[in-house]
Amino acid sequence: MLKRISKIAVIFLTVLAIFSCKTVQQANLKEIKPFVGIWSDTTNPGSKIVFKADGSFYNIANEGGVQIITHSGTFKILSNNMYVLNISDARADATYDLKGRQYANYYTLSNDKKTMKVSGVVDGRNGRKPLQWASDLIKVNTLD
């Protein structure tokens, strides 16, 4: 009888542990949830940033009435004011050195989580000077 109770207790504790533990993806989603969505860059009209729940992102620019993806990759929140971009793809004609690079950026999210200020520095390409940038973002519902 004691063996049976012990087995039931072990099974119960195992099931409890499995359901109470967060997966890395669940923990990451909670951490990045305020970022997830489409953000319109009011500092650079026509530009948008899309942060997805899977930790990926892409930047869009409006050129000649056409939206094009300028660069993309993954992102991760490092602290309550810093995030990092791992840029896996970027335009071949980009002025700044983005593809294959990792950049730590700063952010300030509003209390209502509908606006965000972001800033950082990217390296110049082919001997050009680095760019120190800052943008004001507003959360929007569509890419239009």
Side-chain angles (χ1 to χ4, degrees):
M1 182 72 165
L2 187 56
K3 268 187 165 180
R4 184 172 182 175
I5 292 173
S6 295
K7 283 183 183 180
I8 291 171
V10 168
I11 291 171
F12 175 75
L13 290 174
T14 302
V15 170
L16 182 63
I18 289 170
F19 285 107
S20 66
C21 292
K22 290 184 179 179
T23 65
V24 172
Q25 186 175 5
Q26 287 170 326
N28 192 39
L29 180 57
K30 181 179 179 188
E31 189 175 87
I32 69 173
K33 191 173 183 180
F35 269 63
V36 173
I38 303 167
W39 296 84
S40 181
D41 184 344
T42 61
T43 309
N44 300 294
S47 296
K48 292 185 175 63
I49 303 171
V50 178
F51 291 106
K52 297 173 67 178
D54 66 358
S56 65
F57 83 94
Y58 56 94
N59 281 49
I60 297 174
N62 190 340
E63 293 184 5
V66 177
Q67 291 182 334
I68 62 163
I69 295 176
T70 59
H71 56 286
S72 61
T74 60
F75 72 101
K76 183 177 180 179
I77 308 299
L78 297 179
S79 70
N80 63 353
N81 70 341
M82 186 178 273
Y83 69 101
V84 67
L85 297 179
N86 288 300
I87 304 172
S88 57
D89 197 25
R91 296 172 63 160
D93 63 347
T95 304
Y96 298 96
D97 200 6
L98 301 175
K99 186 174 181 175
R101 302 297 296 260
Q102 182 180 71
Y103 290 105
N105 299 315
Y106 296 93
Y107 74 95
T108 304
L109 193 61
S110 66
N111 289 335
D112 64 4
K113 296 181 175 45
K114 293 183 180 181
T115 63
M116 182 167 38
K117 293 182 180 292
V118 292
S119 63
V121 177
V122 293
D123 295 326
R125 177 181 261 170
N126 298 325
R128 291 188 173 120
K129 291 184 179 183
L131 172 69
Q132 187 168 354
W133 61 272
S135 293
D136 294 322
L137 308 177
I138 295 176
K139 200 169 228 183
V140 296
N141 294 323
T142 65
L143 289 174
D144 299 338

